[in-house]
Amino acid sequence: MRRLELHVRDGDPFETALKAVRNMDPVDFHILLPEQKDRKIISVFLRDNTSQKLVDVLQQALKDEKDWRLVVTPIEATLPKIEEGKHAPRRNGQKALREELLHDIEEGAVLDRDFLIMVFLSTVVAAVGLNSNSIAGVIGAMVIAPLLGPILGFSMGAALGSMDLIQRSGITLVAGIGLALVSAFALSFVMPLDLYSRELISRAEVRLDGVALSLAAGGAAALSLARGQGSTLVGVMVAAALLPPGAATGLFLGDGHYALASRAGLLLALNVAALVLSALLVFRVKGIRPLTWLERETATKAVRINALIWVVFLAVAAILIIYLDLGAAVEIG
């Protein structure tokens, strides 16, 4: 349930907005008179299944107006208890509004000093944990790694056809992974590599079950966000697919183990593709689309193109994995 507070100019804009509110069968609404004589405020309480629709209707109705503002506030509880509308089904289980999702994702995809510092620190923890065969160290690194934001930002940008969000999230993701590689590469010169560490060597094992893990992690992250739930735990799963293989790639490169580095790098690339693809598909299935018809057409094309690219990449990588496994089996035989 949400409270929507609309500040709008009195007259036709107010009447148009009030009509839209009444058509949504709100739980309750009231009109406030602020100090400005030519303004009115409509405060409306809505069920989750009609909030997004009213937001869209108001944006369309007031698109030519400049002096208006809509404030959305989630309501944790209200008494007496209000049941959801019987004849208005939920939007595929989506509880968070498109605008709320965009706000959260854009904040998580910002490339700033704090993001870079967190990537560096998490890479140091991951590299030490991998090299010392410390599971606790690797898990700790995944907890603090801030890589969930740019992954979801890229997928959301594709789902909405927003090239600006795709570009900003892509730059943040590349910068984060690049910093992780460089940091681990530098650490390899001051930290003797232990090739007997199972945690380290396992990041050079490219298998199809690892791809399945990444697909599940990306989908779970997008689903959790769309349902308005916390994404901290799934963020750890996303970091598990990115940070350890990234740190391992840098360590192997710095120590001159190029074959191991190439395998860890392939695992990293595979995980990125799987995460973005699964999150993109979940956003699409949950009905997260742009506001206007024209934007939806553009978004549909963007989704198809992005999905095709990532599917082809995963297919080629899967074939390469099978080929590498067969080659290793022949050598052992």
Side-chain angles (χ1 to χ4, degrees):
M1 186 173 170
R2 283 173 175 76
R3 175 184 176 185
L4 275 64
E5 190 173 272
L6 176 65
H7 298 242
V8 66
R9 183 170 58 87
D10 197 7
D12 290 340
F14 167 74
E15 296 297 334
T16 300
L18 184 59
K19 181 179 179 180
V21 168
R22 286 172 171 163
N23 288 338
M24 290 297 143
D25 186 27
V27 174
D28 191 11
F29 76 93
H30 54 275
I31 299 169
L32 305 175
L33 299 177
E35 293 183 2
Q36 300 97 318
K37 294 181 180 179
D38 62 337
R39 304 279 291 181
K40 284 188 177 179
I41 298 175
I42 305 176
S43 182
V44 53
F45 291 84
L46 285 169
R47 299 174 178 88
D48 287 332
N49 49 30
T50 55
S51 298
Q52 183 69 72
K53 187 175 181 180
L54 179 58
V55 170
D56 292 347
V57 168
L58 290 175
Q59 288 187 79
Q60 288 283 65
L62 301 174
K63 63 181 179 181
D64 296 327
E65 285 288 321
K66 296 182 179 179
D67 193 17
W68 67 278
R69 180 164 300 279
L70 180 64
V71 179
V72 180
T73 306
I75 297 176
E76 297 294 333
T78 180
L79 296 174
K81 184 178 179 181
I82 298 172
E83 299 294 336
E84 291 289 338
K86 297 180 180 179
H87 305 293
R90 293 182 182 273
R91 294 172 55 87
N92 297 325
Q94 178 189 341
K95 290 188 176 181
L97 301 184
R98 177 181 57 246
E99 289 74 17
E100 292 173 331
L101 291 176
L102 267 176
H103 178 267
D104 292 341
I105 287 177
E106 286 176 341
E107 281 192 341
V110 172
L111 178 59
D112 56 12
R113 182 177 60 181
D114 291 342
F115 175 83
L116 295 176
I117 291 175
M118 289 298 290
V119 169
F120 172 74
L121 294 176
S122 59
T123 302
V124 172
V125 175
V128 173
L130 289 171
N131 197 52
S132 61
N133 199 36
S134 171
I135 298 178
V138 177
I139 294 176
M142 294 185 297
V143 170
I144 63 176
L147 298 175
L148 175 62
I151 286 288
L152 292 180
F154 193 95
S155 301
M156 175 66 83
L160 296 178
S162 173
M163 290 305 301
D164 178 64
L165 183 55
I166 291 176
Q167 182 179 8
R168 286 188 286 118
S169 300
I171 291 174
T172 302
L173 181 61
V174 171
I177 293 177
L179 177 60
L181 291 173
V182 172
S183 301
F185 180 84
L187 283 172
S188 68
F189 292 97
V190 297
M191 183 174 61
L193 215 59
D194 181 11
L195 296 180
Y196 291 99
S197 170
R198 179 57 189 164
E199 286 295 313
L200 179 61
I201 294 300
S202 65
R203 267 60 191 191
E205 297 175 356
V206 188
R207 302 184 306 183
L208 292 177
D209 56 356
V211 178
L213 172 64
S214 299
L215 286 170
L223 182 61
S224 176
L225 194 67
R227 290 187 58 82
Q229 299 170 345
S231 56
T232 302
L233 293 179
V234 291
V236 175
M237 290 181 63
V238 169
L242 297 180
L243 191 62
T249 302
L251 290 174
F252 288 138
L253 280 175
D255 209 49
H257 299 283
Y258 301 117
L260 293 175
S262 64
R263 284 177 171 267
L266 175 60
L267 177 60
L268 175 62
L270 269 172
N271 289 345
V272 170
L275 289 167
V276 171
L277 177 61
S278 59
L280 171 60
L281 294 178
V282 168
F283 282 142
R284 192 66 178 176
V285 169
K286 299 299 291 182
I288 298 173
R289 291 174 174 81
L291 176 60
T292 66
W293 176 85
L294 183 59
E295 291 174 334
R296 289 176 183 176
E297 288 295 304
T298 303
T300 298
K301 293 179 181 178
V303 169
R304 290 174 180 171
I305 293 173
N306 276 277
L308 179 61
I309 292 174
W310 294 117
V311 167
V312 170
F313 179 82
L314 286 174
V316 172
I319 294 173
L320 182 58
I321 291 174
I322 295 173
Y323 174 78
L324 291 173
D325 287 342
L326 289 176
V330 171
E331 290 179 4
I332 294 174

